[in-house]
Each structure stands twice: as C-alpha cells, then as structure tokens.
Amino acid sequence: MASILDEYEDSLSRSAVLQPGCPSVGIPHSGYVNAQLEKEVPIFTKQRIDFTPSERITSLVVSCNQLCMSLGKDTLLRIDLGKANEPNHVELGRKDDAKVHKMFLDHTGSHLLIALSSTEVLYVNRNGQKVRPLARWKGQLVESVGWNKALGTENSTGPILVGTAQGQIFEAELSASEGGLFGPAPDLYFRPLYVLNEEGGPAPVCSLEAERGPDGRGFVIATTRQRLFQFIGRAAEGAEAQGFSGLFAAYADHPPPFREFPSSLGYSELAFYTPKLRSAPRAFAWMMGDGVLYGALDCGRPDSLLSEERVWEYPEEVGPGASPPLAIVLTQFHFLLLLADRVEAVCTLTGQVVLRDHFLEKFGPLKHMVKDSSTGHLWAYTERAVFRYHVQREARDVWRTYLDMNRFDLAKEYCRERPDCLDTVLAREADFCFRQRRYLESARCYALTQSYFEEIALKFLEARQEEALAEFLQRKLAGLKPAERTQATLLTTWLTELYLSRLGALQGDPEALNLYRETRERFRAFLSSPRHKEWLFASRASIHELLASHGDTEHMVYFAVIMQDYERVVAYHCQHEAYEEALAVLARHRDPQLFYKFSPILIRHIPRQLVDAWIELGSRLDARQLIPALVNYSQGGEAQQVSQAIRYMEFCVNVLGETEQAIHNYLLSLYARGQPASLLAYLEQAGASPHRVHYDLKYALRLCAEHGHHRACVHVYKVLELYEEAVDLALQVDVDLAKQCADLPEEDEELRKKLWLKIARHVVQEEEDVQTAMACLASCPLLKIEDVLPFFPDFVTIDHFKEAICSSLKAYNHHIQELQREMEEATASAQRIRRDLQELRGRYGAVEPQDKCATCDFPLLNRPFYLFLCGHMFHADCLLQAVRPGLPAYKQARLEELQRKLGAAPPPAKGSARVKEAEGGAAAGGPSREQLKADLDELVAAECVYCGELMIRSIDRPFIDPQHYEEEHLSWL
C-alpha cells in the first residue's frame, strides 16, 4: 500500500458532524459541533496491482477502462479492467531490433497506436487481433497524438493530429474496417499541416490536444520543449469542414501565439482536467523546464484559451539539474508529478506540496504516469510493477482554502451539503464585508448564519447602520418558522419602528427628499411583502399602535388596506370628513357588514351617492339592515331625504322582488308621509288578495287613517273583506267608489243587497237625490222599489216612482208567467214517464239455441244466464266473475254474503208447498230465497258489464293483469 505522508493525512482527515442548536466548538460564529466519528480516508490512495510481468514493461496507456502495455519488444498485453481475469496477448511480429517508443490510446479505448523507434507506427483495434502497420506514417517518429473527441467512434478516429520529433504536425484519419487482402489500409490519409519551431529550428511536438468549443470554434494546444502554442479558429467550409486544415491555414503567414520559458528538460508534457467524458476541459497543467504552468481554460476568450495562469517552480531537489519530473497528471484541485522514486501532489489553489509518496527501490525507477479520464484513476508503473491511485472526495476541504483566500462564493459552492462548514464561510464573509464597510452585504450574510442574534444586532447599532440592521432583521424574519410567533412579533415591530424613525428624521428635509422617497418605498414594500404577510397580520395591533404613536396616518391607512382592515380605513376617512373616499373604499371591497356599520354616517352627508352604491350592490345587501339608517335619515321629513329612502325601497320591491314585511311596511310609511299619490297605486299594484300582499294590512289601515288617506283606507278594507266598513268610508268620499265596493261580495247576495241599501239610504237621506236613488235601483238588480220606498219622506209624490213601480209590476207579471209555463212542462214530463213505464213491463227478448255467452263463448242455454236490453248475454257465473273485480270493496263483501246465504237456503219446493215454504220463511223473519236472488240480481245485473258504467271505470286497467304478465309473456315465446 502507498505510504501517504502523515502531515497530509492530518490536514485532510478532519470532518464535521452537524448538530444544530448546540454551542459552537471549533467553528466560530456557528451553532454546530465538530466531532470526528471515524478516520478520514486519504484523498490519494495507492494500490499495487497484483501482476508480475513476464518481461519488462516498456510502455503503458489506459483509457475508458482499457489498459494496454508493451512487454519487451514484441508483446502487447491488453486488459479490459471490467474483466481483468481475461487478459489478451498480441504479438507484434517484429523481427528487427526496433523498440516501442510510445503508445497512444484514444478516449474510447478502441484505437491503439504503437510508435516504434524505427520510425514505424502500428495500429491495433480493440475488437481485432491483427497488428496493422501504417504505411503512410513510415519515416516519422511520433511523439504525440491529438485525438478527436467530438467525431471519434469505435470504428473511426475521425480527423486527428499527429506530432513528430521533427516538429511537424500531420492530420490523419484511421478506420478499423478490414477489407481482406486487397482491402483499404487503416490510414485513410496522412498530410502535413504545420511545423513548430523554436529558436534553433524545428522542435519535437511533445504534446497535442484538440478541442471544440461550444460555439463551434476549434482549439489546438501544442507544446515543444520550451514553448506552448495555441491555434484558435473556425473550420473551413466544404468537404474538409470536419478537419483541421482550415484552422492551421490561418497561421500560414504568421506564427500562432505562444508562451516560452528559457529552461528545458529536453521534453515537456501537457495535461488537461475534464469533469466529464466528452465535455470541455476546464484546467490545464504544462510540465516544462522552469516548473509547471497551470491555470484555467476559457473557451469563450477570443485570443487565448489560458486564464488565471500561474507557474509552480520546482524545488531545489527537482528540475533539469537534479531529479527531473517524468510525467504529470491533472485532477480537479491537484497536479501530480512523477519522479524516478516518488510521486508529489501539488494543490493548484495554494501551490503547496500536499503529498510525497515514495516507492520502494525493489520495484525499480518509475517510468511514466497516466490518467484514465473515464474513471479518474491514476496509473504509474516501473519496469516490474504497476500501481493505481484512487482519488476520493478531492473537494472535501477545498472550501477551507477558498475561505482563506477570501473567495467566499467558491467556498460556499464546495460546502453546500455541509451546513456546519457553510455557516463558517458565511460568518467569515459577513465579518469580512463588515470590515470593508459593505454593511448591507454583511447583513445578508449574517442573517444566514447561526450567530447570536443579539450580538449581530448590537454590532450594527454601534456602527449606526440602521439600514443594514433593517436588512438583517428582514432576512431573519423571512427565515422564521410558523411556530416562532414571538420572534416574528418582535422582528416586525422592531422593523416598523426603524422605518418610522428613519422617515421621521428625513421628513421635512428638502435635501433628503429623494432618500425619504426611497425609504418610504422600502417601508411600503416591507408592509406589502407576501413573504411577511402572515407575520404582519399577527402583529397588526402593535404595528397600528406604532403608526399612531408616530402620527403617520398615511401609512396607517396604507397598512390597513394591505391587511384588508377596511373598517379602520373607512373610519379614518369618516373621521376626517372624507366621505366620498370612505364610500369609494366600501364600494371597491363590497363588504356588506361595513355598509351596515357606516351607512348611518354616510347617508347624512352623501345620501344620493350612498343609495347609488346600495343599488349597485343589489341583492348582496340585506335591506332590513339598512332600514335603521334610512329611518334616522328621513326623520327630518324633508322631501329630498324621503325621496332617497323611497328610491332605494322601490328598488328593493320592484327590482329585487323583496317580500319582507318590514320593507313593505316602511315603504308604505314613506309613501304616506312623502308621496301620497304613489300610495294608492302601490296598494292597487300589490293586489286585493289578503294572502298575497306583503305588507301588514292592519298597520297599513292605521297608517292611512292617521294621515287621512281615505281612498287608501277603502282599498285596505276591501282587501280585508270588510265591505260594510269600506262602503261606509267610501260614501264619505265618492258614491261611485261605494258602488264598486258594494259589488265585491259576488257570492253573498244578501250582503250585496245590504250594501246597496246603505248606498240608497245615503243617496236619499243625505243627498236627497231621487234620481240618483232610482239609478241605484237600475245598477243593482237585487233592489226593488219596495226596498227603497221607506227611505223617502212622506211628502214625495208618486210621480217620481211611477216608472219604477210600473217596471216592478211588469217584472212580477213576467215571473208569474214563467212559473206557469214550468208547471205545464213538469206535468207533461210526468205523463210521458208513466207511459214509458207501462211499455217497459211488456218488453221481452228471444234466445236462440245457438246463442253463446259473451264471455266464455259456450252455448248460453247450458247454464242459468242473463239477457240485457243491449243484446249481450252472459252465463250467471261468467257475469258474476266479470263484475266482481270492478265492484267497490263493500259491494264485493255484500256479494259474498248473498252467495253464502243462497248456498245455505233450502232449494225451492213445487206447487203449493213452495208457496207455503216461502210464506213460512217470510214469517220466520229471514229473507226468502227469492228475495236473496233479487238482491243478487240488483247487485250483479243492474247494467250490462260491457255497456254500462263499469266498463267506463275500467278504461285505465291494463289488458293483462300485472300478476300474470310474466306468465302470459312466456306463453308467447
């Protein structure tokens, strides 16, 4: 196992367990406790692979979980790390002394290039066993390959870049297809693009990396021993749009930008850090003679990819003159340098060496180190051993480094899932902002920490930063839980006091007008904030008291509106005699209870507008609740006051169709006092039925009598059906009105006659108008001259009644003649009836032998039968069966009783014995057999069952008895 330095272990093995609510231990300004429950696992853990090579290892590459190593000079070992127990050996088939110079494996783990010291290159595909030489590449000592991550697949590499020891950069493409003996070669093309130079001429291309940015631009970074070149541009349009020729063509006339360092190792190596496979790289590290140049990669910059560049210089024991680094790999926050006897890890954030991992001498010197980007594992090897490094939770303590660098945003990003660490970062950031006098930012950070509330508040008060304190309080208020009502009340009250004090200090100062307006808008935003609405509502009483103590009526109304405390708003407007504004609030929010409460005040000042608002609300208001306001308003008796009350009551009755008696009674009282002309019209419209009117008849009668409205009283008497009182009162007003009342009791002739006699007496005795009295006789047929004569005085001559007396005598004579004619018609009818009865006694009917019963269709003469005048004939038992269902229950009982008695009576005897028996039975007091048969015939044979009333009553009976319907239905199937 790896020997990890104790100092690095100690620095990275600390952990924190979250314990909210406890006093801070080890972490200032927080409410968390540090507790190390188990030993922290180191970030870099080394493991030796259980593998002993048969020959010395000359080269090793790993990509996409595929490991390839060359053993000796002629053996290739391939291992799928997912199936490590199934290694694959491939013989290169070389007979010369050529050695493996370098191997290159693409990002998919499918395409392997083997560069030989004899300037030849071999190609092996993961899915094949055949080693194929690349003829077009011959003569070039390959030092580096830039794979195409955007277009490369398992079958094709796409356009790739190849760097040689002669400083040339070629573009090539490889295909894995095998077409047999005469099939196409794997190298589809191989053409030169560019030559890299240093001061002494062409220099070996030590590293090549090709990437494509999100905007479609291409990037190529190439390194020599002392220089790092950048090629940036867009691909050419046309057939070669996917290649790199267009990118390099842009630098045909001028060299690309580069970085140069004076020292040289004789080689260099470039490493990229890519978070995910096929994503854009984020960081780089270039190992060269002067040290390691590392930084970030920004594909959005137009001129250079490199940003935030820093150089880590080699210590004295490392470098060109001492122990030179052999390889470099880059992780998220470290780069690892491979030396002959150890591995050193350097933090890219601080530049400090955090790991020195020495290897035992028995394994021999280290050769190279590579990284598998797909798994993040690091691989190092000697000629006799292979080692693997696991990288675990590399970012665990990065937040501390960023925190020490005052890069708080990054520190928070890397401890989001660790609340104790996040609290520490926020507290440190808040303190930093406070020292920098950025008080608002400090307040926002303090509000997110577990720091003591009183301590922070006092800190801002001592600095006289009320605005920052308000920001701190608002943030704390937003983070409270629903159960923390006491804290919410405290915070909302304190915030209100701060704002009111600030506004009071700024008000009246013309130089601070803009600041006053800004503070007022912030205060209103606080009062109307949906996030604070629940707490403000719970504290509304104390806030109103504060507003009142400061005399800030403007914000008192504003806050009441927000809290929907419209009662307070309306009361404020009424108190300041702003009645129209009060009515506007009522009309806007349409709360019936507020209308009921404030209508008595508003109707005294703006009656017409208030009534308009009532009418607009319509049925949402209960008119009964508004009657007290109308009564108080209309007590003055002025026409305008009464007219507004009548207008609303008429709307309720005529439009809303109100039937409440109180409303109709009040409308009657208003009519009686203010609009008598409308009173009678309203009563007549209400109708003459006492059960359909909605007002109180007795109240209406008393009201009309008090105000002397006699015609209205007469109408009420008529509705009450008190016709005598109606006629008596109508005679005081108009005789014609009395005549109309006298004709109302149409079904009671005696009462009508009595009422007309009252009218006649009044006309004769009070008005002494004989002609009018005679007109009464003509108007009422119930009155006769003899009924009216007693009312006339004795000195009246008969000439006035001559015509009436003659008419009466003629009427009597006509009546007598009518009676005589009716008597003669009755006598003639009686004679005809006697004659018909004599004829009926002699009628008979004939029955033929072939006649059949109308019910059962059997011969009629086989059994006793009945014959009806209509011609229908029935057997006695058939007729009985047909008649029984249609008889009432009591007749059915009587029928059963007669049948029982007939069955119990002795059979009839012959001759004189029969007569004697009948006489004996009659003498015994019981009905005779003949009498029973007569009663039975009267019950059963009173009329034909087919032609009589029984058939008419059975018209609604179904043809088939419901009880036998199912049986009848099945019989037809």
Side-chain angles (χ1 to χ4, degrees):
M1 294 296 293
S3 163
I4 307 301
L5 291 180
D6 293 340
E7 65 211 8
Y8 183 69
E9 251 181 50
D10 293 340
S11 66
L12 299 180
S13 62
R14 294 186 297 273
S15 176
V17 177
L18 309 187
Q19 297 289 340
C22 300
S24 62
V25 178
I27 299 178
H29 309 292
S30 68
Y32 299 93
V33 173
N34 281 343
Q36 184 172 327
L37 299 183
E38 59 183 10
K39 188 175 181 180
E40 188 72 66
V41 177
I43 294 177
F44 300 103
T45 304
K46 184 175 70 178
Q47 175 189 7
R48 183 190 172 194
I49 304 302
D50 187 11
F51 167 72
T52 302
S54 59
E55 298 182 67
R56 64 184 181 86
I57 303 173
T58 58
S59 183
L60 183 145
V61 289
V62 183
S63 181
C64 200
N65 229 22
Q66 301 292 319
L67 184 146
C68 300
M69 67 176 73
S70 64
L71 304 176
K73 67 173 185 177
D74 199 46
T75 302
L76 175 66
L77 176 62
R78 299 187 296 181
I79 301 175
D80 184 348
L81 296 177
K83 304 174 184 178
N85 56 348
E86 300 178 5
N88 177 251
H89 290 78
V90 179
E91 297 296 331
L92 299 182
R94 304 296 298 182
K95 303 301 181 181
D96 52 13
D97 294 332
K99 300 178 182 180
V100 174
H101 176 60
K102 284 186 178 180
M103 293 198 305
F104 309 95
L105 186 61
D106 78 321
H107 61 284
T108 66
S110 302
H111 308 283
L112 175 65
L113 293 175
I114 305 173
L116 303 177
S117 59
S118 59
T119 66
E120 294 181 86
V121 181
L122 306 178
Y123 171 70
V124 183
N125 187 265
R126 182 173 66 179
N127 299 323
Q129 291 289 109
K130 187 176 181 180
V131 179
R132 306 169 71 185
L134 303 179
R136 292 186 175 91
W137 296 40
K138 190 172 182 180
Q140 302 295 334
L141 183 61
V142 177
E143 292 287 344
S144 58
V145 175
W147 299 103
N148 194 327
K149 300 179 181 63
L151 302 178
T153 63
E154 294 183 1
N155 297 322
S156 173
T157 62
I160 62 174
L161 295 175
V162 180
T164 69
Q166 293 78 25
Q168 290 182 298
I169 297 178
F170 291 86
E171 182 181 25
E173 183 172 0
L174 302 176
S175 174
S177 61
E178 297 183 8
L181 181 61
F182 300 101
D187 47 343
L188 301 182
Y189 62 87
F190 189 75
R191 55 175 172 256
L193 292 180
Y194 202 82
V195 177
L196 296 182
N197 294 294
E198 290 184 352
E199 290 184 0
V205 183
C206 301
S207 299
L208 268 176
E209 292 289 345
E211 297 291 342
R212 186 177 295 274
D215 57 352
R217 291 192 304 167
F219 307 96
V220 174
I221 297 181
T223 66
T224 61
R225 291 166 298 192
Q226 295 176 280
R227 292 183 178 181
L228 183 147
F229 297 88
Q230 299 182 60
F231 298 88
I232 305 173
R234 295 187 178 274
E237 300 292 337
E240 298 182 354
Q242 303 298 336
F244 296 95
S245 58
L247 178 65
F248 284 91
Y251 298 94
D253 298 331
H254 60 88
F258 61 88
R259 293 292 307 275
E260 185 176 12
F261 292 88
S263 299
S264 173
L265 295 170
Y267 55 86
S268 69
E269 186 171 348
L270 181 66
F272 278 3
Y273 168 70
T274 304
K276 297 179 182 179
L277 194 63
R278 294 184 181 275
S279 63
R282 292 187 180 178
F284 77 97
W286 179 37
M287 181 187 73
M288 41 76 182
D290 289 271
V292 176
L293 175 68
Y294 63 97
L297 290 174
D298 187 357
C299 298
R301 298 180 65 182
D303 53 348
S304 176
L305 293 176
L306 311 183
S307 64
E308 302 178 13
E309 302 174 43
R310 284 172 289 176
V311 177
W312 181 79
E313 297 181 355
Y314 298 127
E316 293 182 359
E317 67 274 13
V318 179
S323 176
L326 303 176
I328 186 171
V329 293
L330 182 63
T331 63
Q332 186 176 6
F333 297 106
H334 301 83
F335 61 81
L336 285 80
L337 287 176
L338 182 76
L339 287 83
D341 61 343
R342 67 185 182 274
V343 171
E344 293 190 2
V346 180
C347 178
T348 56
L349 300 178
T350 62
Q352 297 178 356
V353 177
V354 296
L355 169 67
R356 284 189 177 92
D357 188 13
H358 291 267
F359 287 72
L360 299 178
E361 293 182 1
K362 67 178 182 178
F363 299 122
L366 293 168
K367 294 297 183 182
H368 202 66
M369 190 175 191
V370 294
K371 176 184 177 182
D372 187 353
S373 299
S374 63
T375 61
H377 293 159
L378 312 179
W379 297 79
Y381 67 94
T382 67
E383 291 183 348
R384 296 189 294 273
V386 178
F387 301 89
R388 177 171 58 189
Y389 281 94
H390 292 268
V391 183
Q392 298 181 2
R393 295 178 58 210
E394 186 181 4
R396 68 183 71 169
D397 286 328
V398 170
W399 66 274
R400 293 182 185 275
T401 305
Y402 282 127
L403 183 61
D404 294 337
M405 299 166 62
N406 291 335
R407 300 182 67 177
F408 302 109
D409 291 340
L410 291 173
K412 288 184 283 188
E413 181 179 350
Y414 287 101
C415 61
R416 290 190 182 279
E417 297 180 359
R418 300 173 63 182
D420 59 331
C421 304
L422 181 61
D423 188 76
T424 302
V425 174
L426 290 170
R428 184 83 65 84
E429 183 182 7
D431 291 339
F432 177 80
C433 293
F434 193 90
R435 291 192 300 270
Q436 296 292 322
R437 300 182 182 275
R438 291 150 49 190
Y439 296 109
L440 285 178
E441 297 179 31
S442 176
R444 297 186 187 105
C445 293
Y446 274 130
L448 298 174
T449 67
Q450 299 295 323
S451 302
Y452 292 111
F453 173 83
E454 299 84 351
E455 178 184 346
I456 305 305
L458 185 60
K459 201 171 186 178
F460 285 115
L461 286 174
E462 291 176 350
R464 299 182 180 276
Q465 294 298 320
E466 295 181 355
E467 185 179 358
L469 176 60
E471 180 71 17
F472 173 69
L473 296 179
Q474 279 189 266
R475 298 275 178 162
K476 279 293 185 183
L477 179 63
L480 291 180
K481 298 178 181 178
E484 298 174 324
R485 294 185 176 275
T486 304
Q487 295 89 327
T489 303
L490 171 65
L491 292 176
T492 52
T493 306
W494 195 355
L495 277 167
T496 304
E497 176 64 30
L498 287 175
Y499 276 117
L500 290 176
S501 299
R502 180 69 171 163
L503 289 172
L506 296 175
Q507 192 173 15
D509 186 358
E511 296 181 357
L513 181 60
N514 292 333
L515 183 58
Y516 171 79
R517 291 175 179 174
E518 182 181 347
T519 306
R520 183 182 61 182
E521 292 303 318
R522 285 203 303 269
F523 181 40
R524 291 189 174 186
F526 164 70
L527 294 177
S528 60
S529 173
R531 297 171 57 188
H532 306 146
K533 185 175 183 180
E534 180 181 357
W535 308 125
L536 291 169
F537 184 79
S539 310
R540 62 187 184 279
S542 57
I543 293 176
H544 275 299
E545 292 178 3
L546 278 175
L547 292 168
S549 65
H550 281 266
D552 194 344
T553 56
E554 177 186 2
H555 286 104
M556 184 186 300
V557 174
Y558 181 82
F559 181 66
V561 171
I562 292 173
M563 293 292 104
Q564 297 183 357
D565 189 1
Y566 303 117
E567 181 178 350
R568 191 183 298 269
V569 178
V570 176
Y572 170 80
H573 287 311
C574 292
Q575 184 179 0
H576 291 77
E577 298 183 358
Y579 302 109
E580 293 185 357
E581 288 81 355
L583 181 58
V585 175
L586 290 176
R588 184 165 56 252
H589 300 288
R590 309 169 75 89
D591 186 353
Q593 296 301 324
L594 294 181
F595 270 100
Y596 303 149
K597 182 172 183 178
F598 292 99
S599 288
I601 300 174
L602 297 177
I603 199 169
R604 297 176 186 172
H605 304 280
I606 48 172
R608 182 181 60 78
Q609 295 91 326
L610 181 62
V611 171
D612 291 340
W614 288 351
I615 292 175
E616 184 179 354
L617 282 178
S619 59
R620 294 188 61 179
L621 291 178
D622 185 358
R624 294 176 301 174
Q625 303 284 346
L626 299 173
I627 288 178
L630 291 171
V631 170
N632 292 333
Y633 171 67
S634 61
Q635 282 179 349
E638 296 182 4
Q640 181 181 1
Q641 296 174 339
V642 176
S643 64
Q644 294 300 329
I646 290 177
R647 184 161 72 96
Y648 181 65
M649 288 293 104
E650 286 180 341
F651 169 77
C652 295
V653 172
N654 300 330
V655 179
L656 300 182
E658 284 285 353
T659 59
E660 286 292 333
Q661 191 177 78
I663 295 174
H664 287 264
N665 288 345
Y666 182 57
L667 180 58
L668 275 175
S669 68
L670 293 174
Y671 280 147
R673 285 187 299 162
Q675 294 184 8
S678 303
L679 176 62
L680 184 60
Y682 166 77
L683 293 174
E684 292 176 348
Q685 183 182 2
S689 174
H691 304 293
R692 294 184 178 180
V693 296
H694 302 300
Y695 55 86
D696 187 347
L697 291 168
K698 295 180 180 180
Y699 172 76
L701 184 62
R702 183 175 66 253
L703 190 68
C704 295
E706 288 177 359
H707 290 83
H709 303 309
H710 297 305
R711 287 184 177 272
C713 288
V714 170
H715 180 83
V716 177
Y717 277 133
K718 291 192 295 182
V719 176
L720 290 170
E721 298 182 355
L722 300 176
Y723 300 115
E724 292 189 37
E725 289 81 354
V727 170
D728 291 340
L729 184 59
L731 289 175
Q732 299 177 19
V733 179
D734 186 7
V735 175
D736 293 334
L737 180 61
K739 290 180 181 181
Q740 296 175 6
C741 297
D743 283 332
L744 290 177
E746 297 178 354
E747 298 180 356
D748 191 348
E749 293 187 354
E750 182 178 355
L751 179 59
R752 285 179 60 200
K753 184 175 181 180
K754 182 178 179 181
L755 297 177
W756 276 101
L757 286 175
K758 283 180 175 285
I759 296 173
R761 180 192 295 273
H762 174 79
V763 171
V764 173
Q765 295 181 353
E766 299 296 333
E767 298 185 4
E768 298 180 357
D769 189 347
V770 178
Q771 297 297 329
T772 305
M774 293 300 100
C776 289
L777 290 178
S779 301
C780 180
L782 300 178
L783 293 182
K784 298 181 176 56
I785 186 61
E786 57 268 26
D787 298 326
V788 182
L789 284 177
F791 302 146
F792 288 95
D794 297 335
F795 56 83
V796 177
T797 60
I798 197 173
D799 294 338
H800 296 90
F801 314 114
K802 180 178 180 180
E803 183 177 353
I805 292 173
C806 293
S807 300
S808 179
L809 292 176
K810 290 180 180 179
Y812 280 128
N813 185 32
H814 179 72
H815 183 61
I816 291 172
Q817 292 177 359
E818 288 292 329
L819 291 176
Q820 288 178 350
R821 185 168 62 256
E822 291 177 0
M823 291 174 61
E824 291 175 356
E825 291 178 354
T827 302
S829 298
Q831 291 177 356
R832 287 195 297 271
I833 291 172
R834 294 191 193 97
R835 187 164 55 252
D836 291 341
L837 290 174
Q838 292 296 332
E839 292 178 356
L840 287 174
R841 290 176 181 173
R843 292 188 66 178
Y844 62 92
V847 179
E848 301 294 334
Q850 65 273 16
D851 289 341
K852 297 180 180 181
C853 175
T855 300
C856 66
D857 206 29
F858 283 94
L860 186 67
L861 298 177
N862 289 351
R863 299 197 300 274
F865 64 89
Y866 287 94
L867 173 63
F868 291 94
L869 294 177
C870 60
H872 290 113
M873 296 170 280
F874 305 91
H875 289 132
D877 56 342
C878 292
L879 180 62
L880 188 65
Q881 185 177 1
V883 171
R884 185 191 301 273
L887 294 177
Y890 73 93
K891 288 189 176 182
Q892 291 184 7
R894 174 63 176 164
L895 180 61
E896 293 177 357
E897 181 183 1
L898 291 175
Q899 287 180 316
R900 188 172 61 255
K901 289 182 178 181
L902 276 175
K910 298 182 180 180
S912 59
R914 179 179 178 183
V915 178
K916 291 180 180 179
E917 181 183 358
E919 291 175 356
S928 64
R929 186 180 182 85
E930 294 297 331
Q931 182 62 37
L932 292 173
K933 289 183 65 177
D935 291 344
L936 183 63
D937 291 344
E938 183 178 357
L939 189 61
V940 175
E943 58 182 358
C944 175
V945 69
Y946 285 171
C947 303
E949 186 179 354
L950 185 63
M951 180 58 68
I952 297 174
R953 289 201 305 268
S954 67
I955 191 170
D956 59 344
R957 290 175 55 191
F959 290 106
I960 301 174
D961 189 352
Q963 297 180 356
H964 302 90
Y965 176 80
E966 191 65 27
E967 180 182 352
E968 185 69 21
H969 176 68
L970 293 175
S971 67
W972 282 82
L973 298 177

